Amino acid sequence: MYLDPRSLAVINLAVQALLVFGVVVAAYLARRRRDFRRHCAIMRILVPLQIIAIVFVMLPSLRDHISHGQPGLLNDEMLAHHVLGALVIVLWIYINIVLMGLVKPLGRPVIAMRLAFTLWVVSLFMGVHIYFMIWVR
């Protein structure tokens, strides 16, 4: 079954909305309930789902748009969006190996967690902007 790029983009937008909901729930559990075990469990589900979305939807879309699109600010924004997303994944991996005790933290892990969250929010807003620039003109 073939899905056209627009349908894939809409499905990805819906998946991202569900991931946002999940991150908000996880953040609530960590900040308000101090339930770090469930917070980490939720994040260990959400981030691999995000990686799947990146590999199967976003990366091919980036590749196709850059190879067929016009050079300019939108391409630069797409690249920045992907770099920020990759940094979030790298930070998530780092945080997990620190929490598993495999490496010593370089600083307080909460700082890396907040940085990952901030980069994720910036990347999310950029992604929504990119979606609107490509599909809702």
Side-chain angles (χ1 to χ4, degrees):
M1 177 169 98
Y2 172 76
L3 288 174
D4 64 290
R6 175 176 239 123
S7 296
L8 262 171
V10 170
I11 291 168
N12 185 50
L13 190 63
V15 167
Q16 296 306 312
L18 290 172
L19 292 173
V20 166
F21 177 75
V23 168
V24 168
V25 168
Y28 170 79
L29 289 171
R31 293 283 290 178
R32 300 284 183 229
R33 296 284 182 120
R34 299 283 188 212
D35 188 348
F36 300 111
R37 183 171 299 234
R38 286 199 318 176
H39 167 81
C40 289
I42 289 171
M43 293 309 296
R44 286 183 176 140
I45 293 168
L46 296 178
V47 174
L49 290 175
Q50 181 65 41
I51 292 169
I52 291 168
I54 290 168
V55 169
F56 291 106
V57 178
M58 292 183 216
L59 202 55
S61 176
L62 172 71
R63 185 191 63 236
D64 290 347
H65 186 77
I66 288 178
S67 66
H68 296 105
Q70 304 289 336
L73 287 177
L74 185 59
N75 284 358
D76 295 341
E77 184 177 2
M78 288 178 86
L79 287 171
H81 168 72
H82 279 272
V83 167
L84 289 176
L87 286 173
V88 170
I89 301 299
V90 168
L91 281 169
W92 179 78
I93 292 168
Y94 164 75
I95 292 163
N96 273 281
I97 62 175
V98 164
L99 294 178
M100 288 190 261
L102 300 174
V103 298
K104 290 188 180 225
L106 299 174
R108 294 179 40 219
V110 71
I111 293 171
M113 291 174 191
R114 289 178 180 157
L115 177 60
F117 179 75
T118 302
L119 293 176
W120 176 76
V121 169
V122 171
S123 180
L124 174 70
F125 281 116
M126 290 175 80
V128 170
H129 180 256
I130 291 165
Y131 172 85
F132 278 98
M133 291 299 293
I134 293 174
W135 301 111
V136 187
R137 285 198 236 174

